[in-house]
Short mmCIF file of all heavy atoms in Angstrom, two decimals:
data_model
loop_
_atom_site.label_atom_id
_atom_site.label_comp_id
_atom_site.label_asym_id
_atom_site.label_seq_id
_atom_site.Cartn_x
_atom_site.Cartn_y
_atom_site.Cartn_z
N MET A 1 11.26 -40.85 -38.20
CA MET A 1 11.24 -41.56 -39.47
C MET A 1 9.98 -42.43 -39.58
O MET A 1 9.51 -42.96 -38.59
CB MET A 1 12.45 -42.48 -39.60
CG MET A 1 13.74 -41.76 -39.94
SD MET A 1 13.72 -41.07 -41.59
CE MET A 1 13.71 -42.54 -42.61
N ALA A 2 9.48 -42.56 -40.81
CA ALA A 2 8.35 -43.45 -41.04
C ALA A 2 8.83 -44.90 -40.90
O ALA A 2 9.91 -45.24 -41.35
CB ALA A 2 7.77 -43.22 -42.43
N HIS A 3 8.04 -45.70 -40.25
CA HIS A 3 8.38 -47.11 -40.08
C HIS A 3 7.12 -47.93 -40.30
O HIS A 3 6.03 -47.52 -39.92
CB HIS A 3 8.94 -47.37 -38.69
CG HIS A 3 8.06 -46.88 -37.58
ND1 HIS A 3 7.22 -47.72 -36.89
CD2 HIS A 3 7.85 -45.64 -37.08
CE1 HIS A 3 6.54 -47.00 -36.00
NE2 HIS A 3 6.90 -45.74 -36.09
N LYS A 4 7.27 -49.08 -40.92
CA LYS A 4 6.11 -49.92 -41.21
C LYS A 4 5.45 -50.41 -39.94
O LYS A 4 6.14 -50.77 -38.98
CB LYS A 4 6.55 -51.12 -42.06
CG LYS A 4 6.65 -50.80 -43.53
CD LYS A 4 6.42 -52.07 -44.36
CE LYS A 4 6.16 -51.70 -45.82
NZ LYS A 4 5.56 -52.81 -46.56
N VAL A 5 4.13 -50.41 -39.94
CA VAL A 5 3.38 -50.92 -38.80
C VAL A 5 2.35 -51.92 -39.30
O VAL A 5 1.92 -51.86 -40.46
CB VAL A 5 2.68 -49.79 -38.01
CG1 VAL A 5 3.70 -48.87 -37.37
CG2 VAL A 5 1.71 -49.01 -38.90
N THR A 6 1.97 -52.83 -38.42
CA THR A 6 0.95 -53.81 -38.78
C THR A 6 -0.30 -53.64 -37.94
O THR A 6 -1.26 -54.39 -38.09
CB THR A 6 1.49 -55.24 -38.59
OG1 THR A 6 1.97 -55.37 -37.25
CG2 THR A 6 2.62 -55.54 -39.56
N SER A 7 -0.28 -52.65 -37.06
CA SER A 7 -1.42 -52.39 -36.18
C SER A 7 -1.49 -50.90 -35.91
O SER A 7 -0.49 -50.19 -35.98
CB SER A 7 -1.22 -53.16 -34.87
OG SER A 7 -1.89 -52.51 -33.81
N ARG A 8 -2.69 -50.42 -35.62
CA ARG A 8 -2.88 -48.99 -35.32
C ARG A 8 -2.66 -48.69 -33.84
O ARG A 8 -2.67 -47.52 -33.45
CB ARG A 8 -4.29 -48.59 -35.70
CG ARG A 8 -5.32 -49.26 -34.83
CD ARG A 8 -6.70 -48.76 -35.11
NE ARG A 8 -7.22 -49.23 -36.38
CZ ARG A 8 -8.15 -48.59 -37.08
NH1 ARG A 8 -8.65 -47.48 -36.64
NH2 ARG A 8 -8.58 -49.09 -38.21
N VAL A 9 -2.48 -49.74 -33.03
CA VAL A 9 -2.42 -49.56 -31.58
C VAL A 9 -1.28 -48.62 -31.20
O VAL A 9 -0.14 -48.79 -31.62
CB VAL A 9 -2.25 -50.92 -30.86
CG1 VAL A 9 -2.07 -50.73 -29.37
CG2 VAL A 9 -3.46 -51.80 -31.15
N GLY A 10 -1.61 -47.61 -30.42
CA GLY A 10 -0.60 -46.68 -29.92
C GLY A 10 -0.25 -45.56 -30.87
O GLY A 10 0.56 -44.70 -30.53
N LEU A 11 -0.88 -45.54 -32.05
CA LEU A 11 -0.56 -44.51 -33.03
C LEU A 11 -1.59 -43.39 -33.03
O LEU A 11 -2.78 -43.64 -32.85
CB LEU A 11 -0.51 -45.09 -34.45
CG LEU A 11 0.53 -46.16 -34.74
CD1 LEU A 11 0.40 -46.59 -36.19
CD2 LEU A 11 1.93 -45.66 -34.46
N ARG A 12 -1.15 -42.16 -33.25
CA ARG A 12 -2.07 -41.05 -33.51
C ARG A 12 -2.21 -40.86 -35.03
O ARG A 12 -3.30 -40.72 -35.55
CB ARG A 12 -1.52 -39.78 -32.85
CG ARG A 12 -2.15 -38.49 -33.33
CD ARG A 12 -3.49 -38.22 -32.67
NE ARG A 12 -4.23 -37.16 -33.31
CZ ARG A 12 -4.22 -35.88 -32.95
NH1 ARG A 12 -3.49 -35.52 -31.92
NH2 ARG A 12 -4.93 -34.98 -33.60
N PHE A 13 -1.06 -40.86 -35.73
CA PHE A 13 -1.07 -40.65 -37.18
C PHE A 13 -0.61 -41.92 -37.89
O PHE A 13 0.32 -42.59 -37.43
CB PHE A 13 -0.16 -39.48 -37.56
CG PHE A 13 -0.69 -38.17 -37.04
CD1 PHE A 13 -0.15 -37.61 -35.89
CD2 PHE A 13 -1.73 -37.53 -37.68
CE1 PHE A 13 -0.65 -36.42 -35.39
CE2 PHE A 13 -2.24 -36.33 -37.19
CZ PHE A 13 -1.70 -35.77 -36.03
N LEU A 14 -1.30 -42.23 -38.99
CA LEU A 14 -0.95 -43.41 -39.77
C LEU A 14 -0.84 -43.02 -41.23
O LEU A 14 -1.72 -42.36 -41.78
CB LEU A 14 -2.04 -44.49 -39.57
CG LEU A 14 -1.78 -45.83 -40.26
CD1 LEU A 14 -2.26 -46.97 -39.37
CD2 LEU A 14 -2.47 -45.91 -41.62
N GLY A 15 0.28 -43.38 -41.85
CA GLY A 15 0.52 -43.04 -43.24
C GLY A 15 0.28 -44.22 -44.15
O GLY A 15 0.40 -45.37 -43.74
N ASN A 16 -0.07 -43.90 -45.40
CA ASN A 16 -0.19 -44.91 -46.44
C ASN A 16 1.02 -44.78 -47.35
O ASN A 16 1.18 -43.80 -48.06
CB ASN A 16 -1.49 -44.70 -47.23
CG ASN A 16 -1.70 -45.76 -48.29
OD1 ASN A 16 -0.75 -46.35 -48.80
ND2 ASN A 16 -2.96 -45.99 -48.62
N LEU A 17 1.87 -45.80 -47.27
CA LEU A 17 3.13 -45.81 -48.01
C LEU A 17 2.90 -45.66 -49.51
O LEU A 17 3.71 -45.07 -50.22
CB LEU A 17 3.81 -47.15 -47.73
CG LEU A 17 5.29 -47.32 -47.93
CD1 LEU A 17 6.06 -46.27 -47.16
CD2 LEU A 17 5.70 -48.71 -47.46
N ARG A 18 1.81 -46.20 -49.99
CA ARG A 18 1.54 -46.24 -51.42
C ARG A 18 1.03 -44.89 -51.94
O ARG A 18 1.44 -44.44 -53.00
CB ARG A 18 0.53 -47.34 -51.68
CG ARG A 18 0.20 -47.41 -53.12
CD ARG A 18 0.36 -48.77 -53.69
NE ARG A 18 -0.56 -48.84 -54.81
CZ ARG A 18 -1.29 -49.87 -55.09
NH1 ARG A 18 -1.20 -50.94 -54.34
NH2 ARG A 18 -2.09 -49.85 -56.11
N THR A 19 0.13 -44.25 -51.19
CA THR A 19 -0.44 -42.97 -51.64
C THR A 19 0.30 -41.79 -51.01
O THR A 19 0.07 -40.64 -51.39
CB THR A 19 -1.92 -42.86 -51.26
OG1 THR A 19 -2.02 -42.86 -49.84
CG2 THR A 19 -2.74 -43.99 -51.85
N THR A 20 1.15 -42.06 -50.03
CA THR A 20 1.80 -41.05 -49.18
C THR A 20 0.80 -40.02 -48.66
O THR A 20 1.04 -38.82 -48.70
CB THR A 20 3.01 -40.36 -49.86
OG1 THR A 20 2.59 -39.68 -51.04
CG2 THR A 20 4.11 -41.34 -50.17
N GLU A 21 -0.32 -40.56 -48.14
CA GLU A 21 -1.27 -39.73 -47.41
C GLU A 21 -1.18 -40.10 -45.94
O GLU A 21 -0.93 -41.25 -45.60
CB GLU A 21 -2.70 -39.99 -47.90
CG GLU A 21 -3.01 -39.28 -49.20
CD GLU A 21 -4.46 -39.45 -49.60
OE1 GLU A 21 -5.09 -40.44 -49.21
OE2 GLU A 21 -4.95 -38.59 -50.32
N VAL A 22 -1.42 -39.09 -45.09
CA VAL A 22 -1.39 -39.34 -43.66
C VAL A 22 -2.80 -39.15 -43.10
O VAL A 22 -3.52 -38.23 -43.50
CB VAL A 22 -0.36 -38.43 -42.95
CG1 VAL A 22 -0.62 -36.96 -43.18
CG2 VAL A 22 -0.30 -38.74 -41.45
N HIS A 23 -3.17 -40.03 -42.16
CA HIS A 23 -4.48 -40.00 -41.51
C HIS A 23 -4.33 -39.72 -40.03
O HIS A 23 -3.37 -40.18 -39.40
CB HIS A 23 -5.19 -41.36 -41.68
CG HIS A 23 -5.37 -41.75 -43.11
ND1 HIS A 23 -6.49 -41.44 -43.83
CD2 HIS A 23 -4.55 -42.43 -43.96
CE1 HIS A 23 -6.37 -41.90 -45.07
NE2 HIS A 23 -5.19 -42.50 -45.17
N ASP A 24 -5.32 -39.00 -39.49
CA ASP A 24 -5.38 -38.75 -38.04
C ASP A 24 -6.36 -39.75 -37.45
O ASP A 24 -7.56 -39.67 -37.68
CB ASP A 24 -5.88 -37.31 -37.81
CG ASP A 24 -5.94 -36.97 -36.33
OD1 ASP A 24 -5.85 -37.89 -35.49
OD2 ASP A 24 -6.08 -35.77 -36.02
N LEU A 25 -5.84 -40.72 -36.69
CA LEU A 25 -6.68 -41.81 -36.21
C LEU A 25 -7.71 -41.35 -35.18
O LEU A 25 -8.68 -42.06 -34.92
CB LEU A 25 -5.81 -42.93 -35.63
CG LEU A 25 -4.92 -43.64 -36.67
CD1 LEU A 25 -4.08 -44.70 -35.98
CD2 LEU A 25 -5.74 -44.26 -37.79
N THR A 26 -7.54 -40.17 -34.62
CA THR A 26 -8.55 -39.66 -33.69
C THR A 26 -9.75 -39.08 -34.44
O THR A 26 -10.77 -38.78 -33.84
CB THR A 26 -7.99 -38.57 -32.75
OG1 THR A 26 -7.69 -37.40 -33.50
CG2 THR A 26 -6.75 -39.05 -32.01
N ARG A 27 -9.61 -38.89 -35.75
CA ARG A 27 -10.70 -38.32 -36.55
C ARG A 27 -11.02 -39.20 -37.75
O ARG A 27 -11.56 -38.73 -38.75
CB ARG A 27 -10.29 -36.92 -37.01
CG ARG A 27 -10.00 -35.99 -35.85
CD ARG A 27 -9.46 -34.67 -36.32
NE ARG A 27 -10.43 -34.02 -37.19
CZ ARG A 27 -10.17 -32.94 -37.92
NH1 ARG A 27 -8.96 -32.41 -37.89
NH2 ARG A 27 -11.08 -32.40 -38.68
N GLU A 28 -10.67 -40.46 -37.63
CA GLU A 28 -10.82 -41.41 -38.72
C GLU A 28 -12.27 -41.49 -39.24
O GLU A 28 -13.22 -41.47 -38.46
CB GLU A 28 -10.41 -42.79 -38.18
CG GLU A 28 -10.55 -43.92 -39.15
CD GLU A 28 -10.19 -45.25 -38.48
OE1 GLU A 28 -9.68 -45.25 -37.34
OE2 GLU A 28 -10.43 -46.28 -39.12
N THR A 29 -12.43 -41.59 -40.56
CA THR A 29 -13.73 -41.82 -41.17
C THR A 29 -13.66 -43.14 -41.93
O THR A 29 -12.56 -43.67 -42.18
CB THR A 29 -14.11 -40.70 -42.17
OG1 THR A 29 -13.35 -40.87 -43.36
CG2 THR A 29 -13.84 -39.32 -41.59
N THR A 30 -14.82 -43.64 -42.33
CA THR A 30 -14.81 -44.91 -43.07
C THR A 30 -14.08 -44.74 -44.40
O THR A 30 -13.49 -45.70 -44.90
CB THR A 30 -16.25 -45.41 -43.33
OG1 THR A 30 -17.00 -44.37 -43.92
CG2 THR A 30 -16.90 -45.83 -42.04
N GLN A 31 -14.11 -43.53 -44.96
CA GLN A 31 -13.43 -43.31 -46.24
C GLN A 31 -11.91 -43.44 -46.13
O GLN A 31 -11.23 -43.58 -47.14
CB GLN A 31 -13.76 -41.92 -46.81
CG GLN A 31 -15.16 -41.80 -47.36
CD GLN A 31 -16.09 -41.13 -46.36
OE1 GLN A 31 -15.97 -41.35 -45.16
NE2 GLN A 31 -17.01 -40.33 -46.84
N CYS A 32 -11.39 -43.32 -44.93
CA CYS A 32 -9.94 -43.43 -44.74
C CYS A 32 -9.44 -44.84 -45.05
O CYS A 32 -8.29 -45.01 -45.44
CB CYS A 32 -9.57 -43.08 -43.30
SG CYS A 32 -9.86 -41.35 -42.90
N GLN A 33 -10.31 -45.83 -44.85
CA GLN A 33 -9.99 -47.24 -45.16
C GLN A 33 -8.72 -47.70 -44.45
O GLN A 33 -7.84 -48.35 -45.05
CB GLN A 33 -9.86 -47.42 -46.67
CG GLN A 33 -11.14 -47.01 -47.41
CD GLN A 33 -11.15 -47.46 -48.84
OE1 GLN A 33 -10.33 -47.03 -49.64
NE2 GLN A 33 -12.08 -48.34 -49.18
N ILE A 34 -8.63 -47.35 -43.18
CA ILE A 34 -7.43 -47.69 -42.40
C ILE A 34 -7.20 -49.19 -42.34
O ILE A 34 -6.06 -49.66 -42.51
CB ILE A 34 -7.55 -47.11 -40.96
CG1 ILE A 34 -7.71 -45.59 -40.99
CG2 ILE A 34 -6.34 -47.53 -40.12
CD1 ILE A 34 -6.56 -44.83 -41.58
N ASP A 35 -8.27 -49.94 -42.13
CA ASP A 35 -8.10 -51.40 -42.05
C ASP A 35 -7.56 -51.97 -43.36
O ASP A 35 -6.73 -52.88 -43.35
CB ASP A 35 -9.43 -52.08 -41.68
CG ASP A 35 -9.82 -51.79 -40.24
OD1 ASP A 35 -8.92 -51.55 -39.42
OD2 ASP A 35 -11.03 -51.81 -39.95
N GLU A 36 -8.03 -51.41 -44.47
CA GLU A 36 -7.56 -51.86 -45.78
C GLU A 36 -6.07 -51.54 -45.95
O GLU A 36 -5.32 -52.34 -46.51
CB GLU A 36 -8.37 -51.20 -46.89
CG GLU A 36 -9.79 -51.74 -47.03
CD GLU A 36 -10.78 -51.17 -46.03
OE1 GLU A 36 -10.36 -50.42 -45.11
OE2 GLU A 36 -11.97 -51.48 -46.16
N ILE A 37 -5.66 -50.36 -45.49
CA ILE A 37 -4.25 -49.97 -45.59
C ILE A 37 -3.38 -50.94 -44.78
O ILE A 37 -2.33 -51.40 -45.24
CB ILE A 37 -4.04 -48.52 -45.07
CG1 ILE A 37 -4.81 -47.52 -45.93
CG2 ILE A 37 -2.55 -48.17 -45.04
CD1 ILE A 37 -4.88 -46.12 -45.33
N LEU A 38 -3.85 -51.27 -43.57
CA LEU A 38 -3.11 -52.19 -42.71
C LEU A 38 -3.03 -53.57 -43.37
O LEU A 38 -1.96 -54.19 -43.41
CB LEU A 38 -3.79 -52.30 -41.34
CG LEU A 38 -3.57 -51.11 -40.42
CD1 LEU A 38 -4.61 -51.11 -39.30
CD2 LEU A 38 -2.17 -51.12 -39.82
N ARG A 39 -4.16 -54.02 -43.89
CA ARG A 39 -4.21 -55.35 -44.48
C ARG A 39 -3.30 -55.45 -45.71
O ARG A 39 -2.72 -56.50 -45.99
CB ARG A 39 -5.64 -55.71 -44.87
CG ARG A 39 -5.98 -57.15 -44.58
CD ARG A 39 -7.46 -57.40 -44.79
NE ARG A 39 -8.15 -56.15 -44.50
CZ ARG A 39 -9.45 -55.89 -44.57
NH1 ARG A 39 -10.24 -56.74 -44.92
NH2 ARG A 39 -9.97 -54.76 -44.30
N ALA A 40 -3.20 -54.36 -46.46
CA ALA A 40 -2.39 -54.36 -47.67
C ALA A 40 -0.89 -54.24 -47.36
O ALA A 40 -0.06 -54.37 -48.26
CB ALA A 40 -2.82 -53.21 -48.58
N GLY A 41 -0.57 -53.97 -46.08
CA GLY A 41 0.84 -53.82 -45.72
C GLY A 41 1.43 -52.48 -46.11
O GLY A 41 2.65 -52.36 -46.27
N HIS A 42 0.58 -51.48 -46.27
CA HIS A 42 1.03 -50.15 -46.68
C HIS A 42 1.06 -49.15 -45.54
O HIS A 42 1.25 -47.95 -45.78
CB HIS A 42 0.12 -49.60 -47.79
CG HIS A 42 0.15 -50.41 -49.04
ND1 HIS A 42 -0.92 -50.50 -49.90
CD2 HIS A 42 1.13 -51.18 -49.58
CE1 HIS A 42 -0.60 -51.29 -50.92
NE2 HIS A 42 0.62 -51.72 -50.74
N ALA A 43 0.87 -49.60 -44.32
CA ALA A 43 0.74 -48.68 -43.19
C ALA A 43 2.10 -48.34 -42.58
O ALA A 43 2.95 -49.21 -42.39
CB ALA A 43 -0.15 -49.29 -42.12
N VAL A 44 2.28 -47.06 -42.29
CA VAL A 44 3.49 -46.61 -41.59
C VAL A 44 3.09 -45.71 -40.43
O VAL A 44 2.07 -45.02 -40.47
CB VAL A 44 4.47 -45.83 -42.51
CG1 VAL A 44 5.04 -46.74 -43.59
CG2 VAL A 44 3.82 -44.61 -43.12
N GLY A 45 3.94 -45.75 -39.41
CA GLY A 45 3.83 -44.81 -38.30
C GLY A 45 5.00 -43.84 -38.41
O GLY A 45 5.91 -44.03 -39.21
N PHE A 46 4.95 -42.79 -37.59
CA PHE A 46 5.98 -41.74 -37.65
C PHE A 46 6.63 -41.56 -36.28
O PHE A 46 5.99 -41.71 -35.25
CB PHE A 46 5.35 -40.41 -38.09
CG PHE A 46 4.71 -40.49 -39.44
CD1 PHE A 46 3.35 -40.76 -39.57
CD2 PHE A 46 5.47 -40.34 -40.60
CE1 PHE A 46 2.76 -40.87 -40.82
CE2 PHE A 46 4.89 -40.45 -41.85
CZ PHE A 46 3.53 -40.71 -41.96
N ARG A 47 7.92 -41.24 -36.31
CA ARG A 47 8.65 -40.91 -35.08
C ARG A 47 9.27 -39.54 -35.23
O ARG A 47 10.16 -39.41 -36.10
CB ARG A 47 9.75 -41.94 -34.80
CG ARG A 47 9.26 -43.14 -34.10
CD ARG A 47 10.41 -44.00 -33.56
NE ARG A 47 9.96 -45.37 -33.44
CZ ARG A 47 10.28 -46.34 -34.28
NH1 ARG A 47 11.07 -46.11 -35.29
NH2 ARG A 47 9.81 -47.54 -34.11
N PRO A 48 8.88 -38.54 -34.49
CA PRO A 48 7.77 -38.60 -33.53
C PRO A 48 6.42 -38.71 -34.25
O PRO A 48 6.34 -38.42 -35.44
CB PRO A 48 7.89 -37.28 -32.78
CG PRO A 48 8.56 -36.36 -33.73
CD PRO A 48 9.50 -37.22 -34.53
N ASP A 49 5.42 -39.12 -33.50
CA ASP A 49 4.08 -39.38 -34.05
C ASP A 49 3.30 -38.06 -34.16
O ASP A 49 2.34 -37.84 -33.43
CB ASP A 49 3.38 -40.37 -33.12
CG ASP A 49 2.08 -40.90 -33.71
OD1 ASP A 49 1.78 -40.59 -34.88
OD2 ASP A 49 1.37 -41.61 -32.97
N THR A 50 3.75 -37.19 -35.07
CA THR A 50 3.13 -35.88 -35.23
C THR A 50 2.85 -35.60 -36.71
O THR A 50 3.49 -36.17 -37.59
CB THR A 50 4.05 -34.75 -34.72
OG1 THR A 50 5.23 -34.72 -35.53
CG2 THR A 50 4.43 -34.95 -33.27
N LEU A 51 1.90 -34.68 -36.94
CA LEU A 51 1.58 -34.29 -38.31
C LEU A 51 2.77 -33.58 -38.95
O LEU A 51 3.07 -33.77 -40.13
CB LEU A 51 0.35 -33.39 -38.29
CG LEU A 51 -0.29 -33.07 -39.65
CD1 LEU A 51 -0.65 -34.34 -40.42
CD2 LEU A 51 -1.51 -32.19 -39.45
N ALA A 52 3.47 -32.79 -38.15
CA ALA A 52 4.64 -32.07 -38.68
C ALA A 52 5.69 -33.06 -39.19
O ALA A 52 6.31 -32.83 -40.24
CB ALA A 52 5.24 -31.17 -37.59
N GLN A 53 5.87 -34.15 -38.45
CA GLN A 53 6.83 -35.16 -38.90
C GLN A 53 6.39 -35.79 -40.21
O GLN A 53 7.19 -35.97 -41.14
CB GLN A 53 7.02 -36.24 -37.82
CG GLN A 53 8.03 -37.31 -38.17
CD GLN A 53 9.43 -36.76 -38.36
OE1 GLN A 53 9.83 -35.81 -37.71
NE2 GLN A 53 10.18 -37.34 -39.29
N ALA A 54 5.10 -36.11 -40.32
CA ALA A 54 4.57 -36.69 -41.56
C ALA A 54 4.78 -35.73 -42.73
O ALA A 54 5.21 -36.14 -43.81
CB ALA A 54 3.09 -37.02 -41.39
N HIS A 55 4.51 -34.46 -42.50
CA HIS A 55 4.70 -33.47 -43.56
C HIS A 55 6.17 -33.38 -43.95
O HIS A 55 6.49 -33.22 -45.13
CB HIS A 55 4.20 -32.09 -43.09
CG HIS A 55 2.72 -32.00 -43.02
ND1 HIS A 55 2.06 -30.98 -42.37
CD2 HIS A 55 1.75 -32.82 -43.51
CE1 HIS A 55 0.75 -31.18 -42.48
NE2 HIS A 55 0.54 -32.27 -43.15
N SER A 56 7.05 -33.48 -42.99
CA SER A 56 8.48 -33.37 -43.29
C SER A 56 8.95 -34.55 -44.13
O SER A 56 9.98 -34.47 -44.78
CB SER A 56 9.29 -33.24 -42.00
OG SER A 56 9.44 -34.51 -41.40
N GLU A 57 8.18 -35.64 -44.11
CA GLU A 57 8.50 -36.81 -44.94
C GLU A 57 7.62 -36.83 -46.19
O GLU A 57 7.46 -37.87 -46.84
CB GLU A 57 8.34 -38.08 -44.12
CG GLU A 57 9.29 -38.08 -42.93
CD GLU A 57 9.25 -39.37 -42.13
OE1 GLU A 57 9.05 -40.43 -42.73
OE2 GLU A 57 9.43 -39.29 -40.91
N ARG A 58 7.04 -35.67 -46.51
CA ARG A 58 6.29 -35.46 -47.75
C ARG A 58 4.98 -36.23 -47.81
O ARG A 58 4.49 -36.55 -48.90
CB ARG A 58 7.16 -35.77 -48.98
CG ARG A 58 8.40 -34.91 -49.02
CD ARG A 58 9.05 -34.89 -50.38
NE ARG A 58 9.97 -33.78 -50.52
CZ ARG A 58 9.58 -32.54 -50.84
NH1 ARG A 58 8.31 -32.27 -51.03
NH2 ARG A 58 10.46 -31.59 -50.95
N TYR A 59 4.41 -36.54 -46.66
CA TYR A 59 3.07 -37.11 -46.65
C TYR A 59 2.06 -35.97 -46.71
O TYR A 59 2.26 -34.91 -46.12
CB TYR A 59 2.85 -37.96 -45.39
CG TYR A 59 3.43 -39.35 -45.53
CD1 TYR A 59 4.80 -39.55 -45.44
CD2 TYR A 59 2.61 -40.44 -45.80
CE1 TYR A 59 5.35 -40.82 -45.61
CE2 TYR A 59 3.15 -41.71 -45.96
CZ TYR A 59 4.51 -41.89 -45.87
OH TYR A 59 5.05 -43.14 -46.04
N ASP A 60 0.98 -36.20 -47.45
CA ASP A 60 -0.06 -35.20 -47.65
C ASP A 60 -1.28 -35.55 -46.78
O ASP A 60 -1.54 -36.72 -46.51
CB ASP A 60 -0.46 -35.18 -49.12
CG ASP A 60 -1.36 -34.01 -49.46
OD1 ASP A 60 -1.26 -32.96 -48.80
OD2 ASP A 60 -2.18 -34.16 -50.39
N ASN A 61 -2.03 -34.53 -46.39
CA ASN A 61 -3.19 -34.75 -45.52
C ASN A 61 -4.27 -35.55 -46.22
O ASN A 61 -4.62 -35.26 -47.37
CB ASN A 61 -3.81 -33.41 -45.12
CG ASN A 61 -2.92 -32.58 -44.25
OD1 ASN A 61 -1.89 -33.06 -43.78
ND2 ASN A 61 -3.29 -31.34 -44.04
N CYS A 62 -4.87 -36.49 -45.50
CA CYS A 62 -6.08 -37.14 -45.98
C CYS A 62 -7.19 -36.10 -46.00
O CYS A 62 -7.37 -35.33 -45.06
CB CYS A 62 -6.45 -38.28 -45.04
SG CYS A 62 -8.10 -38.92 -45.33
N ALA A 63 -7.96 -36.07 -47.09
CA ALA A 63 -9.02 -35.07 -47.25
C ALA A 63 -10.17 -35.30 -46.27
O ALA A 63 -10.90 -34.37 -45.94
CB ALA A 63 -9.55 -35.10 -48.67
N TYR A 64 -10.33 -36.52 -45.78
CA TYR A 64 -11.48 -36.86 -44.94
C TYR A 64 -11.25 -36.59 -43.46
O TYR A 64 -12.09 -36.03 -42.79
CB TYR A 64 -11.86 -38.32 -45.15
CG TYR A 64 -12.20 -38.63 -46.58
CD1 TYR A 64 -11.32 -39.37 -47.38
CD2 TYR A 64 -13.37 -38.15 -47.15
CE1 TYR A 64 -11.62 -39.63 -48.71
CE2 TYR A 64 -13.68 -38.40 -48.47
CZ TYR A 64 -12.80 -39.13 -49.24
OH TYR A 64 -13.09 -39.38 -50.56
N CYS A 65 -10.10 -36.99 -42.94
CA CYS A 65 -9.91 -36.88 -41.49
C CYS A 65 -9.06 -35.67 -41.11
O CYS A 65 -9.08 -35.25 -39.95
CB CYS A 65 -9.30 -38.15 -40.92
SG CYS A 65 -7.69 -38.58 -41.57
N ILE A 66 -8.31 -35.09 -42.03
CA ILE A 66 -7.49 -33.93 -41.71
C ILE A 66 -7.91 -32.73 -42.57
O ILE A 66 -8.18 -31.65 -42.07
CB ILE A 66 -5.98 -34.21 -41.90
CG1 ILE A 66 -5.56 -35.40 -41.03
CG2 ILE A 66 -5.15 -32.97 -41.54
CD1 ILE A 66 -4.10 -35.81 -41.18
N GLY A 67 -7.98 -32.95 -43.88
CA GLY A 67 -8.37 -31.86 -44.79
C GLY A 67 -7.17 -31.01 -45.14
O GLY A 67 -6.07 -31.18 -44.63
N GLY A 68 -7.41 -30.06 -46.06
CA GLY A 68 -6.33 -29.16 -46.44
C GLY A 68 -5.28 -29.83 -47.29
O GLY A 68 -4.11 -29.44 -47.26
N SER A 69 -5.68 -30.85 -48.07
CA SER A 69 -4.73 -31.50 -48.97
C SER A 69 -4.13 -30.49 -49.92
O SER A 69 -4.80 -29.59 -50.39
CB SER A 69 -5.44 -32.60 -49.76
OG SER A 69 -4.61 -33.02 -50.81
N THR A 70 -2.86 -30.64 -50.19
CA THR A 70 -2.19 -29.72 -51.10
C THR A 70 -1.96 -30.34 -52.47
O THR A 70 -1.24 -29.80 -53.29
CB THR A 70 -0.85 -29.27 -50.51
OG1 THR A 70 -0.07 -30.42 -50.18
CG2 THR A 70 -1.06 -28.43 -49.27
N ARG A 71 -2.56 -31.53 -52.71
CA ARG A 71 -2.41 -32.16 -54.02
C ARG A 71 -3.68 -32.02 -54.83
O ARG A 71 -4.76 -31.97 -54.27
CB ARG A 71 -2.13 -33.65 -53.86
CG ARG A 71 -0.68 -33.87 -53.52
CD ARG A 71 -0.37 -35.35 -53.42
NE ARG A 71 0.82 -35.52 -52.63
CZ ARG A 71 1.11 -36.61 -51.95
NH1 ARG A 71 0.28 -37.63 -51.97
NH2 ARG A 71 2.21 -36.71 -51.27
ZN1 ZN B 101 -8.07 -40.14 -43.33
#
């Protein structure tokens, strides 16, 4: 399940609750604006911390760090 996070520590994937986009923190770009997402309180982590889990919760790929957005 997606759960709110206030830090990226220990996470591979980070979702934006507001846009329902998921980011891969190992391939993060400046366009991902991860720090802004965290600061705004819109950041979520996933259990398990996998892309498949994010997709199952209807999160869409970030175009910058993952690609293949379906929106
Ligand atoms: Zn991204």
Side-chain angles (χ1 to χ4, degrees):
M1 283 292 293
H3 53 99
K4 278 207 165 196
V5 295
T6 54
S7 153
R8 66 174 73 206
V9 175
L11 298 180
R12 165 80 192 266
F13 294 100
L14 183 142
N16 182 333
L17 201 54
R18 179 127 153 221
T19 64
T20 60
E21 281 185 334
V22 58
H23 302 269
D24 181 347
L25 295 178
T26 68
R27 301 174 59 191
E28 178 183 351
T29 75
T30 52
Q31 287 99 324
C32 293
Q33 302 193 296
I34 301 298
D35 290 333
E36 287 80 354
I37 297 169
L38 285 162
R39 219 172 331 178
H42 297 151
V44 294
F46 300 94
R47 276 193 205 104
D49 190 6
T50 64
L51 190 56
Q53 182 62 34
H55 288 166
S56 79
E57 299 185 33
R58 301 197 163 278
Y59 279 75
D60 190 29
N61 294 350
C62 168
Y64 301 107
C65 61
I66 302 177
S69 167
T70 54
R71 281 182 201 155

